[in-house]
């Protein structure tokens, strides 16, 4: 693979379609389609047309055990509780098209939906509240371009939730929620379609990744002062019609820098103190979305699959702190990833923001001693957290 690979942009005809906001996929900004497109009927992992029943494998005690997975059902209005060995056992209604979610030490989950941020008691598996957005985002719809919450993060002290709100056709907004009062206290303008939100280890800064504006916006949590930092290792040619835009970021604990993977080829390392970006080589050669970090500093990055004929299929990149990589092939597209508390297993969701997806999770043994295992779970599962 060449380090000088030209930026992937859509051909003229499709670029015109993107400009008209009718292109399906993650390349362009625009209104959501009338309904989510199902997975290809020819695929062995096609998503069912209707909601799948939840198997009766609930814990005998009724309480939710530690290690349970919580996934956001982007293709529905629920979050699903999943036993990583036996599968889904319960679901809770949270609101239209839930995207990202985060769980606090008190066991409460905060779920970004098209209608507001839902608050879920994960032990009792009930919804406690839904906090409406202050920002006007239009009707609550489904699909990749729907308005409402996308990336979401929790302050280290648990007192604030930060949610990136997509405003179709315009710049995004970071909304700040007081977790005690469950009210929005502040709104801050950020980049377009904030796919991801992250918080510095000391809680002093929040970072909103603007997918369609090729940037990360840092927000000081004390003053709400913002700074836009461009992250475009391939450049910004093609604008909304480009595929080469940032998706998800990880804050590296060792130095506070943000790691943003691009195309399985380049890892953008953003220093939020200077706004400068260094680029390191990656090896998967696939369109990349979700990312997280294991307790030992290993970076995990989801490859969603090809966007051009020369790209590799879906995969999970396991990148050690020294930069060495192992790439694990995945069966079909995936979107986001979480890691078990012991750092031994990655959980990769099959939801995918684009029009191909499947209703399950792939379990990947990070030691490489066992092959990946697929587990049915949720409806187009996107965001994921480990309880």
């Amino acid at each position: 693979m060449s380090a000088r690979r030209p930026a992937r942009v859509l051909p003229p005809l499709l670029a015109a379609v993107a400009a008209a906001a009718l292109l399906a996929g993650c390349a362009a900004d625009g209104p959501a389609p009338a309904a989510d497109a199902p997975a290809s009927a020819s695929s062995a992992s096609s998503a069912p047309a209707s909601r799948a029943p939840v198997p009766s494998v609930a814990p005998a005690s009724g309480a939710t055990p530690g290690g349970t997975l919580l996934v956001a059902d982007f293709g529905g209005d629920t979050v699903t509780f999943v036993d990583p060995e036996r599968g889904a056992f319960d679901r809770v209604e949270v609101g239209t098209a839930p995207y990202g979610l985060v769980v606090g030490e008190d066991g409460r989950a905060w779920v970004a939906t098209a209608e507001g941020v839902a608050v879920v008691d994960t032990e009792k598996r009930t919804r406690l509240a839904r906090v409406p957005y202050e920002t006007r985002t239009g009707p609550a719809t489904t699909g990749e371009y729907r308005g409402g919450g996308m990336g979401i993060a929790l302050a280290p002290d648990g007192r604030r939730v930060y949610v990136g709100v997509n405003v179709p056709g315009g710049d995004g907004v970071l909304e700040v929620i007081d977790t005690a009062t469950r009210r929005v206290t502040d709104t801050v303008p950020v980049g377009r379609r904030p796919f991801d939100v992250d918080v510095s280890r000391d809680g002093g800064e929040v970072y909103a990744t603007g997918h369609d504006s090729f940037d990360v916006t840092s927000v000081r949590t004390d003053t709400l002062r913002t700074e836009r930092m461009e992250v475009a290792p391939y450049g910004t040619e093609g604008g909304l019609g480009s595929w080469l835009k940032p998706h998800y970021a990880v804050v590296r604990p060792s130095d506070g820098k943000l790691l943003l993977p691009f195309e399985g080829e380049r890892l953008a390392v953003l220093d939020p103190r200077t706004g400068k970006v260094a680029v390191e080589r990656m090896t998967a050669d696939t369109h990349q979305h979700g990312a997280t970090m294991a307790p030992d500093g290993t970076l995990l990055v989801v490859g969603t699959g090809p966007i051009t004929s020369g790209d590799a299929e879906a995969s999970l990149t396991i990148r050690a702190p020294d930069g060495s990589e192992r790439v694990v092939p995945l069966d079909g597209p995936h979107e986001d990833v979480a890691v078990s508390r012991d750092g031994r297993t990655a959980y990769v969701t099959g939801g995918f923001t684009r029009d191909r997806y499947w209703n399950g999770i792939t379990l990947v043994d990070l030691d490489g001693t066992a092959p990946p295992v697929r587990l049915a779970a949720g409806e187009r599962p996107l965001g994921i957290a480990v309880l």
Side-chain angles (χ1 to χ4, degrees):
M1 118 187 50
S2 171
R4 297 183 298 277
R5 185 174 186 172
R8 298 185 186 116
V9 297
L10 300 179
L13 175 61
L14 288 184
V17 176
L22 294 177
L23 178 65
C26 72
D29 179 57
D36 285 332
S40 168
S42 63
S43 171
S45 59
S46 294
S50 59
R51 174 179 294 182
V54 176
S56 299
V57 293
S61 66
T64 305
T68 295
L69 310 178
L70 185 65
V71 298
D73 294 327
F74 192 58
D77 59 2
T78 57
V79 293
T80 296
F81 290 77
V82 183
D83 182 311
E85 294 184 358
R86 298 186 295 171
F89 63 85
D90 205 355
R91 61 163 55 102
V92 174
E93 182 178 327
V94 291
T96 303
Y99 187 100
L101 54 80
V102 64
V103 180
E105 292 185 2
D106 60 1
R108 292 183 179 178
W110 301 80
V111 188
T113 81
E115 300 177 65
V117 175
V119 188
V120 175
D121 183 326
T122 62
E123 181 177 356
K124 298 180 179 178
R125 300 193 294 280
T126 59
R127 192 184 82 190
L128 302 174
R130 188 165 61 217
V131 183
Y133 302 118
E134 291 289 327
T135 305
R136 298 174 67 89
T137 63
T141 58
T142 62
E144 180 183 355
Y145 304 110
R146 64 118 175 98
M150 298 187 74
I152 190 167
L154 190 65
D157 62 8
R159 297 174 61 183
R160 298 286 187 274
V161 165
Y162 305 98
V163 57
V165 178
N166 178 41
V167 180
D171 289 341
V173 175
L174 184 76
E175 296 207 357
V176 184
I177 298 173
D178 184 305
T179 58
T181 65
R182 299 176 191 163
R183 293 181 179 274
V184 175
T185 60
D186 296 288
T187 60
V188 184
V190 294
R192 294 172 70 101
R193 274 213 293 164
F195 257 59
D196 197 18
V197 175
D198 297 276
V199 182
S200 63
R201 292 192 69 187
D202 63 4
E205 288 188 320
V206 179
Y207 310 110
T209 300
H211 176 272
D212 287 350
S213 45
F214 298 89
D215 61 22
V216 170
T217 301
S218 67
V219 181
R220 287 290 312 173
T221 57
D222 52 357
T223 65
L224 301 183
R225 180 181 61 83
T226 64
E227 181 179 357
R228 176 185 177 272
M229 298 171 285
E230 184 177 281
V231 185
Y234 291 88
T236 61
E237 181 184 355
L240 294 180
S242 172
W243 295 100
L244 306 174
K245 295 180 282 193
H247 292 85
Y248 298 80
V250 173
V251 178
R252 187 161 59 191
S254 61
D255 58 9
K257 294 181 180 180
L258 276 69
L259 309 180
L260 298 99
F262 284 76
E263 306 307 306
E265 296 179 327
R266 304 179 187 184
L267 181 67
V269 182
L270 170 64
D271 187 341
R273 293 178 293 273
T274 65
K276 294 183 178 181
V277 177
V279 177
E280 300 177 6
R281 182 178 180 270
M282 297 188 75
T283 60
D285 188 24
T286 183
H287 191 53
Q288 288 178 322
H289 277 207
T292 193
M293 185 163 284
D296 66 355
T298 297
L299 178 66
L300 307 176
V301 185
V302 182
T304 67
I307 59 173
T308 67
S309 60
D311 291 342
E313 295 293 333
S315 63
L316 179 70
T317 291
I318 303 171
R319 183 182 177 93
D322 65 4
S324 60
E325 294 185 348
R326 180 165 59 90
V327 178
V328 178
L330 298 176
D331 181 10
H334 292 67
E335 177 70 25
D336 207 356
V337 59
V339 63
S340 61
R341 299 299 186 192
D342 61 10
R344 297 175 61 184
T345 306
Y347 307 110
V348 194
T349 59
F352 202 25
T353 53
R354 296 180 62 205
D355 60 353
R356 295 181 299 124
Y357 60 90
W358 63 284
N359 293 338
I361 299 169
T362 296
L363 281 62
V364 178
D365 181 352
L366 296 179
D367 292 334
T369 56
V373 175
R374 288 163 65 95
L375 186 69
E379 295 179 69
R380 197 171 182 170
L382 210 66
I384 184 168
V386 182
L387 306 186

